[in-house]
Amino acid sequence: MRFLLVEDTAELARSVQDLLRLNGHAVDWGATLAEAQDCLAAASYDLILLDIALPDGDGRRFLQGLRRSGQDTPVIMMTARSAVADRVDALDGGADDYLTKPFDLAELEARARAVLRRRGGAAQTVRDFADLTFDPLTATLTVAGEARELRNRELRLFEIFLGAPERIFSKDQLCDRLFSFAETVTDNAIEVYVGRLRRKLDGSRARIETVRGLGYRLTATA
Amino acid sequence: MTDQPPSPALPPRPRVARVVLTGSLRRTLVLQLLVVAAVVALALFIAIRISADKAAEAAQDAVLGAATQSLADGIRAEDSAVDLDLAPITFSMLSAMGEDRVFYRVDFAGQPMTGYVDLPPPPATPGGAPQFYTAPYRDHVLRLAAVTRRMLIDGKTVTALVVLGQTRLGQKAIADSIASRAALLGVGFFILAVPLSLLAARAILGPVGRVTEAVSRRGPHDLRPVNQSVPRELGPLIGALNGFILRLRGALSRTETFIAEAAHHIRTPLSTVRTEAEIALRQSQEEGTRARLRSVIRSVEESSRSAGQLLEHALVLYRTDRVDRAEFDLGALLAAQVQSFHPTADLREIALVYSAPQTPVPVLGDRLMIEAALRNILDNAIKYSPGEAQVEITLTLRDGRAETRVCDRGRGLGGSDLVELSQRFRRGGNVADIVGSGLGLTIVLEVAEASGGSFALSPRDGGGTCALFSLPLR
């Protein structure tokens, strides 16, 4: 996905960009509303991550301006204040969702996906691998014309593999992205989800391969 | 109270202010009114007594004067002799006053001629009109009247003095009977004054009682100014009270702003820490480092959650003071809340099953506060649910109340009850591995109390917990 991050705290903006890029997203950054305006004029984005308090104005006011000028890119507001009143204001002001800092990247992705799904999605998000087609918004995998629905963790697991085919992911790496840090995860949890994903891939040329002692990778048989 | 100094290890206990009560306004007022009533009763008695004496004396004087005149008129000078006619009518006239004894004396030219010659003479020589005086005589006190008549005897003018005296028993009896009635009247007046002064004191002090009741009936967070109509004299007191309430509200509102600002300043750097830690975790292979980074992320989540809930708690406390009520559709609010929790629940493959009546569910309350309560209930249910479980959210109408029931398949209450769990910063004994601040249930309970609703947690059959948040319907 292509994100526009509008956030004035430079350190936070930099690390959020790094993290989003690690997950395979493209991110542009605007430190002010003016910079954000320039970015929007130059490129199109799947989603705007908009802070409320910015040096040159209120993000909510900016959003109202965007909506009035016909710019309907989905917007997720983020704020450190988290007061109920702020949340209501943001949603009433045309935001698609609302996140409180600090946020979990997995939650951000989940919310972004939910917003895009609600908005009808963008066609270019559909990806092909070997003989299958994957639509992350509808969480469907089409194998030889047959649609198979993925559950949330299967979907995220498949996205990780699909982001870097042939690359070996260790159990820890998968764990980091699949489970919240507040959860206690048993050792075989990853095996469970890999097993389920494999069943969904049945009959396809794509398969999840166990690399003994290292982890798993997505590969395709010729 | 003992003189023992408090143990230094313990913080000083908050002391309830002790008001020193000096006397009672009501008692003072009643006593003063009664003293006034007693003085008035006494004055009434004395006034009646004096005028009764005067009236009795005047009545006796009138009869005595007339009798004396009539006696004097009965003296006839016949050449050299004098004829005294003691007409019975003269004395029967005197018996009108009662069983009083009568004495008379007639002098001619300064010489006693007849009657009781030792009867006290008048202090000065009277004229043709009777002169009245009072004098003691033979163990009695007499009321006397004296008149003089000039007559010719042997060609010489001779002055005849007629003195008539009467004991005052009849007069005293009349005066006494009037006085005893006056005393009865005074006592009656005083007795009547007792309940009247009690009523007056109650009426005067009534507004004080009403203001006290209005203030003491308020909930702990009700900081509206007192707008009772009170007498002018109580105005300054109510003004001072309202001024104090206003300052207290200001202090509370500044605290809320401060917490909001503080939350902002804490959360922004925390976000950087969290994101950086997550990046470092992604890039690290070393197990020890990874474990440390995980614990960093957990702590960051814990502190940011606490910051958020402190803010929310402050908001709830602040808003309960304002009583900002409006009618809204609880169904729509709950549906939106459930909707916003879907992505979070999805991450752990928890299904949120929501059912509500098709029609709107109108409730009266502070929308923001109730939203905060619902978020906390949903957050709790999802947080404590095991992955791939189901959380059921049902909104039902029963007995004029809108009941929101949120049931999970979590680990239950761990033997604690709601009273324990809803104490600030208190968490169940079985949740050490789940991030939380211990303020969530406190917030829900405070909102329920402030909205005239109720909140209860109960164990669910087959494991888990059901939260019941009930609000009165509009």
Side-chain angles (χ1 to χ4, degrees):
Chain A
M1 270 185 274
R2 182 157 193 182
F3 288 95
L4 171 61
L5 173 67
V6 190
E7 161 67 59
D8 61 324
T9 314
E11 304 86 65
L12 179 59
R14 191 179 47 74
S15 56
V16 169
Q17 285 181 80
D18 287 351
L19 192 54
L20 282 169
R21 283 181 188 137
L22 269 179
N23 273 16
H25 303 290
V27 196
D28 284 344
W29 171 43
T32 60
L33 293 176
E35 284 181 33
Q37 195 69 63
D38 293 346
C39 291
L40 283 169
S44 70
Y45 297 93
D46 294 315
L47 199 102
I48 304 170
L49 287 173
L50 182 58
D51 193 14
I52 287 187
L54 288 155
D56 55 346
D58 189 308
R60 288 170 290 194
R61 195 86 33 84
F62 177 74
L63 173 58
Q64 282 167 9
L66 283 188
R67 292 289 183 253
R68 262 201 301 273
S69 66
Q71 166 65 267
D72 71 339
T73 308
V75 169
I76 294 182
M77 298 289 278
M78 6 172 240
T79 175
R81 285 180 56 117
S82 89
V84 187
D86 287 349
R87 178 163 35 231
V88 171
D89 275 5
L91 297 179
D92 288 354
D96 293 271
D97 208 345
Y98 182 100
L99 263 180
T100 309
K101 293 182 207 169
F103 48 81
D104 190 345
L105 186 62
E107 189 182 341
L108 168 62
E109 286 180 314
R111 289 195 177 273
R113 203 175 354 252
V115 165
L116 292 176
R117 197 182 306 135
R118 269 210 304 278
R119 291 292 207 93
Q124 68 268 28
T125 52
V126 174
R127 285 151 77 181
D128 296 316
F129 180 77
D131 59 345
L132 53 81
T133 309
F134 172 60
D135 183 348
L137 287 187
T138 56
T140 39
L141 205 56
T142 316
V143 180
E146 180 202 348
R148 294 168 185 181
E149 206 170 309
L150 297 184
R151 296 190 68 179
N152 186 280
R153 275 181 176 142
E154 296 156 12
L155 163 78
R156 283 189 286 142
L157 187 60
F158 189 63
E159 272 190 318
I160 297 169
F161 285 124
L162 197 60
E166 304 294 338
R167 184 177 142 192
I168 300 168
F169 291 92
S170 72
K171 277 189 187 176
D172 279 343
Q173 283 171 326
L174 297 174
C175 226
D176 291 346
R177 293 183 59 179
L178 220 47
F179 297 100
S180 134
F181 297 98
E183 276 177 283
T184 12
V185 183
T186 55
D187 277 347
N188 66 348
I190 289 296
E191 287 165 38
V192 170
Y193 287 102
V194 167
R196 289 183 187 175
L197 185 56
R198 277 176 176 156
R199 277 198 292 284
K200 295 279 164 78
L201 292 175
D202 263 357
S204 154
R205 287 197 291 118
R207 60 192 179 87
I208 311 280
E209 197 178 68
T210 309
V211 184
R212 196 168 273 277
L214 290 176
Y216 304 92
R217 70 172 169 191
L218 174 68
T219 183
T221 43
Chain B
M1 296 285 291
T2 64
D3 292 330
Q4 235 179 337
S7 155
L10 290 170
R13 273 174 50 169
R15 268 197 295 181
V16 176
R18 282 173 62 180
V19 180
V20 183
L21 299 172
T22 48
S24 143
L25 274 183
R26 175 196 291 264
R27 204 169 50 206
T28 313
L29 200 57
V30 169
L31 279 178
Q32 278 175 2
L33 285 171
L34 287 181
V35 166
V36 169
V39 168
V40 169
L42 196 66
L44 191 69
F45 170 74
I46 290 170
I48 292 176
R49 170 95 219 212
I50 287 171
S51 50
D53 278 353
K54 284 231 165 81
E57 195 176 82
Q60 190 179 25
D61 284 359
V63 176
L64 203 56
T68 312
Q69 297 271 28
S70 132
L71 195 60
D73 291 347
I75 300 172
R76 303 258 189 281
E78 290 166 6
D79 300 333
S80 61
V82 175
D83 177 32
L84 181 63
D85 174 24
L86 290 176
I89 184 150
T90 305
F91 294 97
S92 73
M93 202 191 303
L94 285 171
S95 71
M97 286 300 284
E99 299 292 305
D100 276 311
R101 296 184 61 192
V102 177
F103 304 91
Y104 73 94
R105 150 183 188 178
V106 182
D107 289 10
F108 270 103
Q111 291 304 309
M113 193 187 77
T114 180
Y116 300 82
V117 292
D118 54 347
L119 206 59
T125 313
Q131 185 188 82
F132 298 100
Y133 59 101
T134 305
Y137 179 70
R138 291 191 189 172
D139 306 334
H140 297 293
V141 177
L142 298 185
R143 187 66 180 166
L144 299 129
V147 289
T148 49
R149 287 282 190 276
R150 288 165 186 279
M151 47 194 67
L152 272 173
I153 296 176
D154 293 338
K156 276 195 293 183
T157 306
V158 176
T159 305
L161 170 72
V162 177
V163 177
L164 193 61
Q166 188 182 30
T167 55
R168 307 202 306 168
L169 297 174
Q171 182 207 340
K172 192 165 176 299
I174 291 171
D176 279 353
S177 107
I178 292 178
S180 68
R181 267 176 225 169
L184 216 61
L185 191 70
V187 170
F189 176 82
F190 184 77
I191 288 173
L192 198 64
V194 172
L196 282 178
S197 17
L198 286 172
L199 281 178
R202 177 183 291 183
I204 290 169
L205 295 177
V208 178
R210 280 197 294 279
V211 169
T212 310
E213 205 197 324
V215 172
S216 58
R217 211 178 32 212
R218 292 171 165 225
H221 302 306
D222 186 352
L223 289 183
R224 286 168 299 162
V226 178
N227 51 8
Q228 198 103 7
S229 60
V230 293
R232 194 180 315 133
E233 287 76 6
L234 284 181
L237 179 64
I238 300 300
L241 184 61
N242 282 343
F244 177 74
I245 290 175
L246 211 65
R247 290 199 298 282
L248 187 58
R249 280 177 69 156
L252 279 175
S253 148
R254 278 194 298 281
T255 308
E256 198 220 352
T257 317
F258 173 75
I259 293 176
E261 287 299 312
H264 183 265
H265 287 293
I266 291 167
R267 280 158 166 274
T268 304
L270 276 182
S271 307
T272 313
V273 173
R274 193 200 193 284
T275 320
E276 293 286 359
E278 202 169 332
I279 294 168
L281 184 67
R282 292 276 189 89
Q283 292 166 342
S284 169
Q285 306 281 321
E286 209 264 304
E287 202 38 57
T289 316
R290 292 176 55 82
R292 280 195 191 92
L293 287 169
R294 272 210 193 86
S295 95
V296 167
I297 293 173
R298 271 186 65 106
S299 304
V300 167
E301 289 209 335
E302 196 123 7
S303 11
S304 68
R305 190 177 261 277
S306 297
Q309 296 218 300
L310 275 174
L311 173 64
E312 206 154 73
H313 187 240
L315 171 106
V316 164
L317 286 185
Y318 176 64
R319 291 193 73 90
T320 39
D321 299 341
R322 297 203 312 193
V323 198
D324 205 354
R325 286 163 184 235
E327 190 187 317
F328 65 91
D329 180 7
L330 182 66
L333 180 66
L334 185 57
Q337 290 312 306
V338 172
Q339 179 70 40
S340 86
F341 270 101
H342 264 301
T344 320
D346 265 358
L347 285 175
R348 292 175 50 225
E349 291 182 352
I350 294 169
L352 301 182
V353 183
Y354 175 58
S355 72
Q358 293 297 306
T359 49
V361 181
V363 293
L364 185 70
D366 182 324
R367 196 194 156 105
L368 288 186
M369 249 169 49
I370 289 169
E371 182 178 333
L374 294 176
R375 288 191 73 83
N376 274 290
I377 297 171
L378 288 169
D379 181 62
N380 253 344
I382 293 169
K383 201 166 67 177
Y384 293 119
S385 251
E388 299 180 40
Q390 188 167 303
V391 171
E392 284 130 52
I393 302 113
T394 14
L395 177 59
T396 46
L397 306 181
R398 211 172 65 186
D399 303 333
R401 301 178 80 79
E403 297 188 340
T404 306
R405 204 179 300 268
V406 178
C407 296
D408 62 44
R409 285 288 176 208
R411 56 195 71 187
L413 300 175
S416 316
D417 64 9
L418 181 60
V419 178
E420 274 177 59
L421 290 176
S422 60
Q423 286 169 13
R424 287 184 198 184
F425 306 114
R426 180 60 160 276
R427 302 190 63 209
N430 55 347
V431 295
D433 56 331
I434 291 177
V435 172
S437 66
L439 269 177
L441 292 180
T442 316
I443 292 170
V444 179
L445 210 61
E446 262 158 12
V447 172
E449 266 172 26
S451 320
S454 65
F455 177 59
L457 286 178
S458 55
R460 189 183 184 188
D461 284 345
T465 310
C466 275
L468 176 62
F469 181 71
S470 151
L471 289 175
L473 275 175
R474 172 77 169 128

